[in-house]
Amino acid sequence: VQLQASGGGLVQAGGSLRLSCAASGRTFSSYAVGWFRQAPGKEREFVAAISRSGGVTSPTESVKGRFTISRDNAKNTVYLQMSSLKPEDTAIYYCAAAPSPSRNSWDYNYWGQGTQVTVSS
């Protein structure tokens, strides 16, 4: 599976962005997908994950109520809708695929290249 993350950009605090993770390969629906992010000087952290059938793993506390993960298997795409963005959300966002949802980056076999999200105050 090859993953392509897109949709990042520069947005003011309080704004919204929708990230997309497009996958190639007919087996995309067989994978759970997770979003992770990495801010400068920080470790990569889990954001949200979704199972093959659309079940959602509870997102990380800092984005609860603001970020929503969803998927469209017909389009081979997973989305991360981000609202009420804060400067601390600034990071490179990565999508990744795994056999089942996990909060651990080491459980993911395939990674996209990342998309930069910058939130200005």
Side-chain angles (χ1 to χ4, degrees):
V1 175
Q2 291 186 322
L3 304 175
Q4 178 85 27
S6 63
L10 174 64
V11 63
Q12 288 188 331
S16 299
L17 283 173
R18 188 177 77 162
L19 305 184
S20 298
C21 177
S24 62
R26 291 174 290 178
T27 60
F28 174 70
S29 60
S30 300
Y31 289 90
V33 175
W35 283 99
F36 291 78
R37 65 185 182 184
Q38 188 165 17
K42 295 187 177 181
E43 293 186 351
R44 190 170 298 188
E45 68 167 342
F46 170 81
V47 177
I50 190 165
S51 71
R52 293 171 290 179
S53 60
V56 175
T57 300
S58 183
T60 194
E61 193 65 31
S62 61
V63 308
K64 279 183 178 178
R66 300 189 297 121
F67 291 11
T68 302
I69 189 170
S70 62
R71 71 187 297 160
D72 185 339
N73 285 338
K75 296 182 178 180
N76 279 6
T77 303
V78 169
Y79 303 98
L80 185 68
Q81 178 68 49
M82 306 186 297
S83 303
S84 301
L85 283 161
K86 304 175 181 180
E88 50 264 44
D89 295 318
T90 295
I92 299 175
Y93 284 71
Y94 300 89
C95 61
S100 57
S102 172
R103 295 172 177 269
N104 302 316
S105 60
W106 54 83
D107 289 329
Y108 289 79
N109 309 103
Y110 304 98
W111 289 82
Q113 85 291 358
T115 185
Q116 176 71 48
V117 172
T118 303
V119 184
S120 63
S121 57

